[in-house]
């Protein structure tokens, strides 16, 4: 990936924003198990950070996806994973299908205010009995004149307690399996919509994760994204960006972990020498740096394919799988080299260790990525 001066300027202004407007508050937000998402995205909207690759007609900058990659790299420098996750859900996970396949009326109503930072979005796919197995989802949208009446439950939804709208994958026909699903935008002030639970989590504390209930929620049919019955396919496309951006945030965070651990190793002495003087430690850290660089290059390759209009499903699935492994390994090795201090909450590595456990599960578990890769590599016997 060749970055231009324009990319560099964009990167520097985001870096300033992260350093001045996010990082000083992270400890308090983690403690509160929430962050003021509306306040943060309003500031980001004012600085044109939110809609970089979205059409200018709806307030975006009309740039290509390489700027989303730069944004994710800089958000990966936030001192926790919860805030970047919440922001990238808004920018890269609940809006791509709306931006590409939504009608003008729908984009004017939900995409434009989201790009300006006046509305917060969420993506609602997972259900209590359907996570990895998306085809098993049961939330139903019954056709009723010019509207749908939606009933069901979505769970583990990021931004769930704060979102103004959710992009929900629902069943619009009585069929089973992959057929008959649609993506529908549901405003969270619609009668019958409620947040039925806010989860307490082991990590990503500053991001809110909720169960959402739909009790005969009526939405007009023009809230549907794309043709009826194409929701599964549109969501699978949308997942590619989600997985790529998740991997980018992960390598940026891993790089920070390695950097702060290297600083610690230079000042911590055992047996008369700084820890960094031990070759075992130098080599482990060098290995982590190598793996991080390989993941970065893989993600840049995915972004280049995306910009060129090519399918990157295979590579994005591989990058997401690798990122999940690497996030865990880097956090584990770096915590080990901090010794007992690494186990203490006052050192940032303890938070990274907890936060890193999510990526191999969320946005498609490792085994789901392996299933996609195995299929694309021709390893799955026909009919299986
Ligand atoms: C903090 C957090 C935030 C989230 N945010 C969102 C969100 O914003 N929107 C949203 O829709 N969802 C969200 N999710 C849900 C997430 O995407 C799901 O948890 C994930 O897809 C796994 O689904 P599941 O939890 O139902 O696990 P299950 O599908 O029950 O799977 C359990 C485990 O079984 C294994 N497994 C599953 N299938 C197979 C297989 N075929 N072969 C072998 N092993 C398998 C995997 O190890 C998997 O982890 C979030 C989850 C968390 C924890």
């Amino acid at each position: 990936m060749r970055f231009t001066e324009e990319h560099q300027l964009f990167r520097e202004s985001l870096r300033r924003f992260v350093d001045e407007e996010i990082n000083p508050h992270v400890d308090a937000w983690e403690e509160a198990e929430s962050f003021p998402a509306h306040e943060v995205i309003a500031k980001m909207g004012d600085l044109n950070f939110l809609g970089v690759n979205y059409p200018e007609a709806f307030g975006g900058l009309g740039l290509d996806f390489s700027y989303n990659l730069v944004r994710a790299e800089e958000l990966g420098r936030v001192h926790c994973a919860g805030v970047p996750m919440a922001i990238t859900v808004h920018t890269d996970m609940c809006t791509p299908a709306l931006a590409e396949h939504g009608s003008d009326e729908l984009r004017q109503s939900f995409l434009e205010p989201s790009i300006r930072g006046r509305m917060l979005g969420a993506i609602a796919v997972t259900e209590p009995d359907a996570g990895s197995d998306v085809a098993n989802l049961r939330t139903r949208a019954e056709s009723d004149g010019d509207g749908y009446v939606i009933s069901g439950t979505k769970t583990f939804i990021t931004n769930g307690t704060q979102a103004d709208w959710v992009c929900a994958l629902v069943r619009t026909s009585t069929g089973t399996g992959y057929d008959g699903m649609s993506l529908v935008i549901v405003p969270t002030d619609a009668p019958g919509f409620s947040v039925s639970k806010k989860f307490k989590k082991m990590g990503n504390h500053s991001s809110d994760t909720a169960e959402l209930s739909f009790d005969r929620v009526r939405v007009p049919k023009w809230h549907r994204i794309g043709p009826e019955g194409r929701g599964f396919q549109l969501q699978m496309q949308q997942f590619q960006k989600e997985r790529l951006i998740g991997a980018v945030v992960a390598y940026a965070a891993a790089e920070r972990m390695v950097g702060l651990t290297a600083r610690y190793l230079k000042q911590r002495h055992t047996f008369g020498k700084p820890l960094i003087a031990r070759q075992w430690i130098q080599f482990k850290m060098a290995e982590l740096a190598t793996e991080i660089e390989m993941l970065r290059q893989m993600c840049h390759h995915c972004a280049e394919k995306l910009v060129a209009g090519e399918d990157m499903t295979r590579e994005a699935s591989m990058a997401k799988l690798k990122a999940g492994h690497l996030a865990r390994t880097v956090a584990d090795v770096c915590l080990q080299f901090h010794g007992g201090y690494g186990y203490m909450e006052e050192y940032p590595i303890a938070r990274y260790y907890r936060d890193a456990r999510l990526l191999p599960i969320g946005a498609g578990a490792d085994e789901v990525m392996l299933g996609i890769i195995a299929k694309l590599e021709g390893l799955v016997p026909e009919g299986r």
Side-chain angles (χ1 to χ4, degrees):
M1 172 80 60
R2 289 267 164 257
F3 293 120
T4 62
E5 206 182 316
E6 206 178 334
H7 286 100
Q8 198 49 34
L9 290 172
F10 180 64
R11 184 185 293 286
E12 282 164 16
S13 55
L14 255 159
R15 186 164 292 198
R16 249 192 326 274
F17 183 81
V18 165
D19 287 342
E20 291 170 10
E21 302 286 346
I22 299 184
N23 279 337
H25 308 290
V26 162
D27 288 349
W29 293 343
E30 284 278 299
E31 188 70 28
E33 298 195 0
S34 178
F35 84 109
H38 282 100
E39 208 180 289
V40 172
I41 63 155
K43 287 180 187 168
M44 292 185 78
D46 291 344
L47 292 165
N48 283 329
F49 288 152
L50 297 175
V52 284
N53 70 323
Y54 291 146
E56 289 171 87
F58 301 101
L61 296 180
L63 299 167
D64 67 40
F65 197 81
S66 60
Y67 289 85
N68 299 48
L69 182 134
V70 170
R71 179 176 59 203
E73 286 183 341
E74 291 308 311
L75 288 172
R77 293 180 56 261
V78 171
H79 295 174
C80 68
V83 175
M85 177 167 76
I87 296 172
T88 55
V89 159
H90 180 76
T91 52
D92 294 287
M93 301 176 191
C94 70
T95 40
L98 171 63
E100 283 164 46
H101 303 281
S103 67
D104 282 357
E105 193 181 8
L106 195 59
R107 291 190 289 182
Q108 203 58 54
S109 303
F110 295 98
L111 184 65
E112 194 266 350
S114 300
I115 288 174
R116 283 194 298 111
R118 268 50 191 176
M119 270 189 171
L120 178 70
I123 176 75
V125 175
T126 308
E127 298 185 359
D129 294 317
S132 305
D133 188 5
V134 175
N136 199 33
L137 69 82
R138 292 186 196 150
T139 297
R140 191 165 289 290
E142 302 281 354
S143 176
D144 181 30
D146 60 359
Y148 292 117
V149 178
I150 303 177
S151 300
T153 306
K154 295 286 179 182
T155 198
F156 303 150
I157 307 306
T158 301
N159 294 343
T161 69
Q162 302 192 67
D164 299 290
W165 57 268
V166 300
C167 174
L169 186 62
V170 295
R171 239 172 232 301
T172 39
S173 87
T174 49
T176 53
Y178 302 117
D179 298 329
M181 296 184 205
S182 300
L183 279 176
V184 178
I185 300 287
V186 182
T188 56
D189 61 0
F193 176 92
S194 64
V195 175
S196 32
K197 180 175 183 179
K198 182 184 173 198
F199 290 95
K200 271 189 99 63
K201 307 190 293 295
M202 69 174 276
N204 281 261
H205 288 155
S206 46
S207 145
D208 57 303
T209 310
E211 181 183 85
L212 310 179
S213 295
F214 301 74
D215 181 10
R216 298 192 58 76
V217 178
R218 194 182 166 86
V219 293
K221 283 193 174 158
W222 62 267
H223 278 206
R224 194 187 63 237
I225 299 173
E228 191 171 273
R230 295 291 297 165
F232 181 81
Q233 290 77 3
L234 295 184
Q235 182 52 37
M236 290 304 119
Q237 280 174 22
Q238 188 159 249
F239 268 146
Q240 303 317 319
K241 289 181 180 160
E242 168 167 345
R243 288 168 184 160
L244 172 57
I245 289 298
V248 173
V249 173
Y251 70 67
E255 196 157 47
R256 180 161 184 274
M257 278 189 257
V258 166
L260 63 88
T261 304
R263 276 199 299 282
Y264 179 81
L265 294 168
K266 282 176 194 161
Q267 53 91 11
R268 179 76 178 169
H269 285 64
T270 63
F271 305 100
K273 277 186 193 175
L275 280 168
I276 199 74
R278 311 278 165 194
Q279 195 184 50
W280 161 253
I281 288 182
Q282 293 163 15
F283 282 11
K284 282 302 278 186
M285 298 297 282
E287 200 174 315
L288 295 183
T290 305
E291 297 255 338
I292 293 168
E293 187 58 36
M294 286 173 74
L295 180 60
R296 185 206 324 276
Q297 295 305 329
M298 180 66 152
C299 289
H300 285 196
H301 172 62
C302 289
E304 277 168 1
K305 287 194 87 164
L306 196 62
V307 171
E310 294 168 22
D311 181 25
M312 53 141 195
T313 306
R314 175 177 171 273
E315 292 82 359
S317 308
M318 289 172 167
K320 159 72 172 65
L321 176 71
K322 184 72 193 170
H325 290 177
L326 195 56
R328 287 165 76 179
T329 305
V330 172
D332 190 46
V333 172
C334 290
L335 191 143
Q336 178 68 23
F337 288 163
H338 275 77
Y341 291 105
Y343 207 74
M344 302 300 139
E345 283 294 333
E346 61 220 66
Y347 278 76
I349 200 67
R351 179 186 295 157
Y352 275 113
Y353 184 80
R354 284 187 271 103
D355 289 354
R357 196 59 189 84
L358 176 60
L359 195 59
I361 298 170
D366 281 0
E367 292 83 351
V368 171
M369 294 307 101
L370 287 166
I372 296 170
I373 297 163
K375 204 175 267 176
L376 293 174
E377 294 296 298
L379 300 168
V380 181
E382 257 178 58
R384 296 272 165 166

